[in-house]
């Protein structure tokens, strides 16, 4: 265990000191990054990913954190002690070394953390789940593969969280703590190393937990062509069409369309729009490129249609993210 990391994590922050004195929750992010329109605290990604691809923080101790959801994926890791959470209505106790992966929209609250309870939050976005990673995981027959693939294809009817219990025989803690050291004590190439370790983390979770995370519904993703379609969308979202994919893969267009719908629960257009909107959202929140230009760059030809789909996806117009 890195002594510098240990010292940093146990050191009380200003927010922790305030919560320790008041025994009440203290908001630790700007109000502009909150969305309370649905009577639930919703954390948006414009604050967390302004200058980085992955955001890591220690969860503040000494007060409960209210029920909330987020626009991004969250991985919680219990560095030490224990943690009581309620995840989508289900009370859950996490112990040292346990990991929970929460999908976009998953609602959870976190109970009071004591002095020795160190919970780490690792935040990342769906765009960080690349098709290449899914291809590596697809033969594992694990629930993690199914979970990540459902996120990638935009299936919002699937399980919203996965819990990985520490068995004492996995390398997950080593991987996570390597990521933490690069993040909290950055050196040259730290950002690149962190990004490279994200798929390593997923692969380690799959390898070490595959026997306890079997998913009976995996057969629906055994069709290799689905990965080829997703790969085309992932890499050529700005120009790809169903016609071009069908031609490239030597499939009848109508047959391929029906197969995509049957295997993913989404039409080709829905999958393509999801990828285009994700890319547009990233550009809108992290660059100064005019929205009109972004619309064209990601492949939309109709401005009104883009605004309609953007609002459906993010519950507000793109101008709010500027």
């Amino acid at each position: 265990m890195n002594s510098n990391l240990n010292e940093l994590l146990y050191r009380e922050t200003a927010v922790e000191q305030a919560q320790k004195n008041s025994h009440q929750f203290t908001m630790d992010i700007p109000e502009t990054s909150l969305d309370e329109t649905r009577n639930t605290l919703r954390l948006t990604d414009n604050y967390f990913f302004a200058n980085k691809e992955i955001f890591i923080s220690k969860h503040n101790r000494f007060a409960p954190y209210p029920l909330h959801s987020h626009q991004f994926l969250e991985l919680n890791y219990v560095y030490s002690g224990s943690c009581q959470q309620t995840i989508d209505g289900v009370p859950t106790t996490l112990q040292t070394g346990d990991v929970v992966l929460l999908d976009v929209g998953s609602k959870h609250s976190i109970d009071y953390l004591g002095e020795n309870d160190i919970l780490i939050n690792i935040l990342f976005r769906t765009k960080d789940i690349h098709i290449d990673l899914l291809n590596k995981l697809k033969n594992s027959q694990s629930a993690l593969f199914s979970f990540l693939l459902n996120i990638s294809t935009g299936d919002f009817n699937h399980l919203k969280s996965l819990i990985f219990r520490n068995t004492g025989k996995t390398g997950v803690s080593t991987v996570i703590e390597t990521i933490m050291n690069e993040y909290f004590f950055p050196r040259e190439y730290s950002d690149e190393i962190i990004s490279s370790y994200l798929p390593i983390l997923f692969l380690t979770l799959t390898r070490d937990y595959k026997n306890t995370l079997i998913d009976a519904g995996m057969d629906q993703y055994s069709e290799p062509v689905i990965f080829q379609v997703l790969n085309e969308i992932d890499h050529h979202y700005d120009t790809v069409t169903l016609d071009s994919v069908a031609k490239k893969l030597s499939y009848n267009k109508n047959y391929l369309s029906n197969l995509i719908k049957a295997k993913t629960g989404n039409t080709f257009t829905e999958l393509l729009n999801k990828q285009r909107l994700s890319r547009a959202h990233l550009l809108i929140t992290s660059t100064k490129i005019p929205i009109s230009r972004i619309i064209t760059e990601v492949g939309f030809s109709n401005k009104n249609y883009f605004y309609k789909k953007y609002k459906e996806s993010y519950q507000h117009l793109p101008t709010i993210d500027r």
Side-chain angles (χ1 to χ4, degrees):
M1 184 179 293
N2 185 302
S3 59
N4 291 331
L5 179 63
N6 207 43
E7 180 184 354
L8 174 69
L9 295 178
Y10 280 98
R11 185 187 308 148
E12 291 183 9
T13 66
V15 171
E16 286 181 322
Q17 291 172 357
Q19 292 187 162
K20 193 173 186 179
N21 292 330
S22 68
H23 303 290
Q24 294 182 343
F25 167 68
T26 299
M27 181 55 65
D28 58 345
I29 64 174
E31 291 186 6
T32 54
S33 297
L34 303 176
D35 178 4
E36 300 182 79
T37 56
R38 298 187 175 186
N39 298 320
T40 300
L41 193 63
R42 186 165 178 261
L43 310 186
T44 60
D45 58 9
N46 56 342
Y47 167 73
F48 299 101
F49 304 108
N51 299 305
K52 53 179 68 72
E53 295 298 314
I54 298 171
F55 183 92
I56 304 176
S57 66
K58 178 186 76 172
H59 188 83
N60 291 314
R61 296 167 290 177
F62 309 123
Y65 202 100
L67 183 68
H68 64 284
S69 65
H70 18 68
Q71 290 182 338
F72 41 82
L73 289 94
E74 177 176 345
L75 186 148
N76 289 169
Y77 168 67
V78 184
Y79 179 83
S80 68
S82 62
C83 170
Q84 298 277 346
Q85 293 197 32
T86 299
I87 304 172
D88 294 316
V90 179
T92 303
T93 300
L94 303 173
Q95 302 290 348
T96 301
D98 286 352
V99 172
V100 59
L101 182 59
L102 303 163
D103 191 8
V104 175
S106 178
K107 296 179 181 179
H108 71 133
S109 59
I110 301 173
D111 290 355
Y112 178 99
L113 296 179
E115 186 173 350
N116 295 315
D117 303 323
I118 305 297
L119 179 67
I120 303 300
N121 305 316
I122 301 178
L123 314 181
F124 56 99
R125 291 174 286 192
T126 55
K127 75 178 188 65
D128 295 314
I129 303 173
H130 299 294
I131 300 305
D132 291 341
L133 172 62
L134 297 179
N135 270 316
K136 292 175 183 177
L137 294 176
K138 68 180 179 180
N139 294 323
S140 68
Q141 295 294 298
S142 75
L144 177 58
F145 166 79
S146 181
F147 183 88
L148 295 176
L149 182 60
N150 282 328
I151 292 170
S152 180
T153 58
D155 179 3
F156 298 109
N157 296 314
H158 66 281
L159 191 67
K160 289 289 186 181
S161 63
L162 283 177
I163 295 176
F164 304 86
R165 299 291 183 185
N166 179 28
T167 65
K169 299 179 181 179
T170 77
V172 170
S173 293
T174 300
V175 175
I176 292 178
E177 290 176 25
T178 298
I179 293 173
M180 291 164 58
N181 274 300
E182 293 290 344
Y183 188 90
F184 291 121
F185 307 103
R187 295 174 289 168
E188 189 176 14
Y189 305 122
S190 282
D191 287 345
E192 291 78 7
I193 291 172
I194 291 169
S195 294
S196 297
Y197 262 92
L198 187 61
I200 292 173
L201 174 58
F202 287 144
L203 291 167
T204 305
L205 284 168
T206 300
R207 180 189 65 188
D208 293 347
Y209 292 93
K210 66 180 180 181
N211 293 328
T212 58
L213 290 171
I214 299 301
D215 182 2
M218 290 298 296
D219 285 346
Q220 62 181 311
Y221 301 120
S222 61
E223 198 73 49
V225 69
I226 298 301
F227 287 96
Q228 293 175 289
V229 171
L230 293 174
N231 190 60
E232 287 298 309
I233 291 174
D234 194 43
H235 290 90
H236 308 292
Y237 57 85
D238 54 336
T239 58
V240 73
T241 65
L242 179 59
D243 283 330
S244 67
V245 174
K247 184 176 181 180
K248 183 173 183 176
L249 302 181
S250 300
Y251 270 78
N252 174 274
K253 173 185 172 182
N254 292 332
Y255 175 81
L256 183 59
S257 177
N258 292 334
L259 184 63
I260 293 168
K261 177 66 175 179
K263 296 297 182 179
T264 71
N266 293 266
T267 67
F268 177 85
T269 299
E270 288 168 342
L271 295 174
L272 180 58
N273 279 346
K274 180 178 181 296
Q275 180 67 15
R276 287 175 171 176
L277 288 168
S278 176
R279 179 62 180 171
H281 184 256
L282 172 65
L283 293 173
I284 289 169
T285 56
S286 62
T287 75
K288 297 298 182 182
I289 300 173
I291 294 177
S292 58
R293 181 178 155 194
I294 290 174
I295 293 172
T296 303
E297 284 190 2
V298 300
F300 285 101
S301 57
N302 186 301
K303 177 181 176 181
N304 292 334
Y305 180 74
F306 167 79
Y307 272 77
K308 176 185 176 183
K309 291 301 178 181
Y310 193 98
K311 187 173 183 179
E312 287 177 2
S313 185
Y314 297 102
Q315 287 75 55
H316 57 254
L317 293 174
T319 49
I320 300 296
D321 288 325
R322 275 297 166 91

